[in-house]
Amino acid sequence: QVQLVESGGGSVQAGGSLRLSCAASGYTYRYNCMGWFRQAPGKEREGVATIYSAGGSTSYNDSVKGRFTISQDNAKNTVYLQMNSLKPEDTAMYYCAFRSPCYGTSPPELGLFGYWGQGTQVTVSS
């Protein structure tokens, strides 16, 4: 059973930075994708970014392009989300997600990901 554990959330002022981490376990197949999603109060969960585990290709929501960077450390089975130039509208619960099998760049679409972490809160104040 795949398990995902997020960390790194917190409170920051607008313009600041945070780095989220997601440690994954419970799988052996190497062709996977991992992603970050977020859900603000009263809104639907939306995709933020994804990364293809075997090749490293990435996909981003237009709203975070140029500010957020997804990366991975395959030796540690960990995915990161570096968030810079944070805005109040980035405030949300951030979830790590896992998709397997995955054979290339994955769009950040909820229905494609079958495993989810518990989430970590990010709050950006103006």
Side-chain angles (χ1 to χ4, degrees):
Q1 182 74 4
V2 176
Q3 292 187 324
L4 305 171
V5 179
E6 303 102 331
S7 61
S11 297
V12 65
Q13 289 191 327
S17 299
L18 284 173
R19 189 176 84 152
L20 307 182
S21 299
C22 174
S25 62
Y27 65 95
T28 57
Y29 195 58
R30 69 183 294 254
Y31 296 101
N32 312 296
C33 287
M34 293 188 71
W36 288 97
F37 293 76
R38 67 186 180 186
Q39 187 167 18
K43 295 188 176 181
E44 294 185 350
R45 192 171 299 189
E46 66 173 359
V48 176
T50 68
I51 188 164
Y52 174 43
S53 300
S57 57
T58 59
S59 177
Y60 292 91
N61 185 310
D62 286 345
S63 65
V64 306
K65 282 182 180 177
R67 300 189 298 121
F68 291 10
T69 303
I70 188 170
S71 62
Q72 62 188 357
D73 184 337
N74 286 341
K76 296 181 179 180
N77 290 340
T78 299
V79 171
Y80 305 96
L81 185 68
Q82 178 66 44
M83 305 185 293
N84 299 328
S85 301
L86 282 160
K87 304 175 181 180
E89 51 263 44
D90 294 318
T91 295
M93 185 71 79
Y94 283 70
Y95 297 91
C96 178
F98 181 88
R99 173 186 173 185
S100 184
C102 183
Y103 300 110
T105 308
S106 175
E109 296 177 6
L110 273 69
L112 298 176
F113 289 78
Y115 298 91
W116 295 84
Q118 292 300 307
T120 185
Q121 178 67 37
V122 171
T123 302
V124 184
S125 58
S126 58

